[in-house]
Amino acid sequence: MRRLRVMYARAQKRDDLAFDFRPAAGSPPVEWIVAEGLTGYDAAVAEMEARADAIAAGAGRERVWLVEHPPLYTSGTSGRDADLRHPHFPVHRTGRGGQATYHGPGQRVAYVMLDLRRRRQDVRAFVAALEAWIIATLAGFNIRGERREDRVGVWVARPEKAPGLSGEGAEDKIAAIGIRVRRWVTFHGIALNVEPDLLHFSGIVPCGVSAAHLGVTSLVDLGLPVTMPELDAVLRREFEAIFGATELESAVRAARFLALPAE
């Protein structure tokens, strides 16, 4: 019977999964930290791992940490050297899931450190919930974001662009997802393009997707001059609808995160 339940869960489309990941009653709100300036990638990973270990040990609160990175590429656990075409910036091999991607100024990265033991121990549904969070955030700016069963992340249809060789409609990726789960605690997270330099994606095959009709876009590229604070406000509102209450950290308590040096 257990095997049948697992097979059924795998057969479900991510669109059909429930997206309620609110914690058990009585859980404290998730810390919400917005870093100023640019945060170095190695320092960010070290901080995430330390916090994830503390959460797993019951010694730390759950956290969402919003950052921007200096220009860099990361290659996840499914990354291939062939996807690093001609990288213009440092490459970081990392333990998150997924392949190669770009991070840089103008891109909002949200690192999500949640304890699935007090929420829902279902990694696939958690990824779908992250997608639902991004899609709801984009809807707040009147953008229709969509998921694809064969591609993790969030996509935007671009009917004004040339179709694929077989007539497939053109699509651009606006947000990437790459997570890691250890002892049922999540870390790494999402990257949503606000106004990054899209030419920087040309140094890699983003997330292993190379079809000519599939590209990369941003809010500004779609004609929406959204500021980072405006995006952050909607991200927080839609996060709470799916994952529960948050608490904005004060500048004093968050100071050491805001001051992380860039490499």
Side-chain angles (χ1 to χ4, degrees):
M1 181 63 70
R2 182 176 181 276
R3 183 179 179 185
L4 288 175
R5 287 199 298 268
V6 171
M7 290 175 63
Y8 173 72
R10 289 176 177 172
Q12 281 186 295
K13 294 182 177 180
R14 295 200 305 282
D15 271 336
D16 299 331
L17 297 172
F19 303 131
D20 187 349
F21 265 79
R22 286 172 291 186
S27 296
V30 176
E31 293 178 345
W32 188 271
I33 298 177
V34 182
E36 297 177 349
L38 301 180
T39 300
Y41 188 77
D42 289 341
V45 172
E47 180 58 44
M48 275 193 291
E49 291 192 343
R51 172 53 55 138
D53 287 343
I55 293 170
R61 281 172 55 189
E62 297 176 303
R63 172 177 291 153
V64 172
W65 185 20
L66 305 185
V67 307
E68 288 179 82
H69 287 303
L72 57 91
Y73 300 110
T74 66
S75 182
T77 54
S78 301
R80 304 172 300 179
D81 289 342
D83 290 337
L84 303 170
R85 288 170 167 164
H86 39 82
H88 318 298
F89 306 110
V91 176
H92 296 259
R93 307 283 179 173
T94 185
R96 63 156 174 80
Q99 296 171 286
T101 195
Y102 165 77
H103 294 312
Q107 181 190 72
R108 176 52 87 208
V109 176
Y111 289 129
V112 182
M113 291 153 268
L114 299 181
D115 188 351
L116 298 188
R117 295 169 301 183
R118 70 177 68 181
R119 294 171 178 275
R120 184 176 169 192
Q121 291 174 269
D122 186 330
V123 174
R124 188 165 181 265
F126 174 67
V127 171
L130 292 177
E131 291 173 332
W133 174 29
I134 298 167
I135 290 169
T137 298
L138 293 174
F141 297 100
N142 296 315
I143 295 174
R144 181 181 174 85
E146 300 175 331
R147 63 169 55 84
R148 295 291 179 261
E149 286 300 318
D150 59 337
R151 300 177 242 132
V152 173
V154 176
W155 297 77
V156 177
R158 304 301 300 271
E160 72 278 14
K161 292 188 173 184
L165 295 177
S166 301
E168 309 95 326
E171 299 178 345
D172 284 344
K173 192 170 192 175
I174 194 167
I177 296 174
I179 66 163
R180 186 171 180 181
V181 180
R182 187 164 63 200
R183 296 167 64 189
W184 287 111
V185 176
T186 71
F187 53 112
H188 294 278
I190 70 169
L192 199 160
N193 297 330
V194 181
E195 192 179 6
D197 187 336
L198 297 180
L199 290 177
H200 290 173
F201 285 90
S202 65
I204 58 172
V205 180
C207 302
V209 178
S210 59
H213 67 291
L214 302 178
V216 181
T217 192
S218 68
L219 292 172
V220 169
D221 182 52
L222 293 172
L224 291 168
V226 176
T227 68
M228 203 66 79
E230 288 171 335
L231 174 70
D232 292 347
V234 180
L235 276 171
R236 187 179 180 193
R237 182 188 73 201
E238 300 303 336
F239 177 91
E240 290 185 332
I242 297 172
F243 298 97
T246 65
E247 181 178 62
L248 184 64
E249 287 294 280
S250 70
V252 174
R253 292 184 62 190
R256 70 190 185 93
F257 303 102
L258 305 182
L260 285 175
E263 285 99 9

